[in-house]
Amino acid sequence: MTGVDMSGDEAPSGDPAFSLDESIGFLVYRAQLVMRKELMRQFAPHDVTAEQWPLLYRLWEEDGLTQRQLADRTFKDQPTTTRICQRLEEKGLVRRSPCPEDARASRVYLTARAAALVPELIPRAERTLAGAVAGVDAARVAVAKEVLAQVFINLGST
């Protein structure tokens, strides 16, 4: 379906065959929105947001990362990472301390309270992911992951 232009000109894209609803970018965006909403619902009892989840997970993998490393490993910009770390610190889930190698940087460490959330949050995330692909053949899920990985390779460095 194309857009309707009352002047009789073609759709703004110049391609009357283009459909936003069939665009891989729009489909990924919609899927991300509903995934985020479900993660928010799952994590709400533990006062953790979907935005905070990747940082906590990366710290469970390797505690004591710098904020820059966290930003790089979660594909977030530095100001967003700093804001999330501040909020996690206010919640008592992380503590930040100056980096001995670089006075301008901070290292981020999990608190015992955050470490105790691992057995709670990871199963919730796993259930959410399983629910997202319920009824989809595992081979098709693998292909979808490959396609999305290639999209990232193709566009991730721009």
Side-chain angles (χ1 to χ4, degrees), residues 133-150:
V133 296
V136 181
D137 181 71
R140 293 182 75 195
V141 172
V143 169
K145 289 178 181 181
E146 290 172 12
V147 168
L148 292 173
Q150 188 63 50

Side-chain angles (χ1 to χ4, degrees), residues 4 12 32 37 39 50 57 67 87 97 113 131 147 150 152:
V4 176
Q32 185 270 340
K37 182 179 177 182
L39 285 173
Y57 187 86
Q67 288 185 178
R87 187 69 182 120
S97 64
R113 182 170 170 226
V147 168
Q150 188 63 50
F152 181 79

Side-chain angles (χ1 to χ4, degrees), residues 61-153:
E61 289 179 325
E62 183 179 349
D63 203 17
L65 295 171
T66 65
Q67 288 185 178
R68 164 60 58 202
Q69 289 170 320
L70 276 171
D72 291 345
R73 293 181 190 189
T74 58
F75 305 99
K76 297 184 184 299
D77 61 38
Q78 188 71 31
T80 298
T81 301
T82 298
R83 180 181 50 77
I84 294 170
C85 286
Q86 286 171 340
R87 187 69 182 120
L88 288 170
E89 193 170 39
E90 290 167 5
K91 291 180 177 188
L93 296 174
V94 301
R95 65 178 176 79
R96 293 181 291 173
S97 64
C99 179
E101 302 87 26
D102 182 355
R104 299 167 296 164
S106 293
R107 290 205 173 271
V108 184
Y109 298 92
L110 294 170
T111 63
R113 182 170 170 226
L117 289 176
V118 173
E120 294 293 327
L121 296 184
I122 289 178
R124 289 171 181 267
E126 290 172 334
R127 281 193 303 273
T128 300
L129 292 171
V133 296
V136 181
D137 181 71
R140 293 182 75 195
V141 172
V143 169
K145 289 178 181 181
E146 290 172 12
V147 168
L148 292 173
Q150 188 63 50
V151 167
F152 181 79
I153 289 167

Side-chain angles (χ1 to χ4, degrees), residues 27-45 48-54 76 80 83-84 91 124-125 128-129 132:
L27 290 168
V28 167
Y29 172 71
R30 282 186 4 189
Q32 185 270 340
L33 285 176
V34 295
M35 180 77 70
R36 184 177 192 277
K37 182 179 177 182
E38 181 58 19
L39 285 173
M40 292 292 287
R41 191 177 75 75
Q42 290 291 325
F43 295 160
V48 171
T49 68
E51 189 176 42
Q52 295 163 351
W53 160 249
K76 297 184 184 299
T80 298
R83 180 181 50 77
I84 294 170
K91 291 180 177 188
R124 289 171 181 267
T128 300
L129 292 171

